[in-house]
Amino acid sequence: MNTLGLERRDARNLVAVAVVVTIVMAFSAEGPVGVRVAAGAVGGAISAVVFVISTLLINRYKPEHW
């Protein structure tokens, strides 16, 4: 994570976002249990990638007074 420029709290927030999205999608998806778990896992992975990209962009281009 340090290679990308992410801090320890960013990693904690990443895990929290991915877990919450995975749980919500698994419960809200329709179909057998396997499909629900797969949908949750895919949604969690996509949200984790989006979180990392947006965090990297914010850290790079944020104003100095933040």
Side-chain angles (χ1 to χ4, degrees):
M1 294 297 253
N2 290 336
T3 306
L4 294 174
L6 297 176
E7 299 173 4
R8 187 172 182 88
R9 72 167 194 253
D10 294 332
R12 183 189 67 230
N13 293 341
L14 169 66
V15 170
V17 166
V19 167
V20 168
V21 169
T22 300
I23 291 170
V24 168
M25 286 193 67
F27 281 115
S28 65
E30 293 189 19
V33 175
V35 172
R36 290 178 176 215
V37 171
V42 169
I46 291 170
S47 68
V49 169
V50 171
F51 181 88
V52 169
I53 291 170
S54 61
T55 302
L56 290 174
L57 290 172
I58 289 170
N59 287 344
R60 179 170 172 117
Y61 296 109
K62 69 182 175 185
E64 290 297 322
H65 64 275
W66 274 13

